[in-house]
Amino acid sequence: MVKEPTVKINKICPTCFAETGYSIVLEENDRGILVCPKNPQHKFKPNKEGFLEKTEAW
Ligand SMILES: [Zn+2]
């Protein structure tokens, strides 16, 4: 049985992708927040469904 791929694979910064078309892989910090290495103000938190929500938290 083949397992469905999960969203746990590399997460791309949706803001950078929307603005520039570049796929910037987000880096997870020690608080579980995904931070964009190009623009540190791009911060996301994965919600229960696995979607990225913009967050202001560090
Ligand atoms: Zn970004």
Side-chain angles (χ1 to χ4, degrees):
M1 219 174 120
V2 180
K3 266 196 162 182
E4 293 272 321
T6 65
V7 286
K8 291 262 180 188
I9 43 173
N10 288 345
K11 292 185 166 78
I12 302 302
C13 178
T15 306
C16 282
F17 189 76
E19 286 176 358
T20 68
Y22 286 110
S23 298
I24 310 296
V25 178
L26 297 166
E27 292 174 347
E28 189 171 351
N29 70 12
D30 55 3
R31 303 185 77 175
I33 305 296
L34 297 160
V35 184
C36 177
K38 288 263 184 208
N39 297 287
Q41 72 270 31
H42 299 165
K43 287 174 287 189
F44 302 91
K45 198 170 68 175
N47 66 15
K48 289 191 177 74
E49 285 80 39
F51 290 102
L52 298 177
E53 285 180 344
K54 220 170 182 171
T55 180
E56 296 302 315
W58 278 100

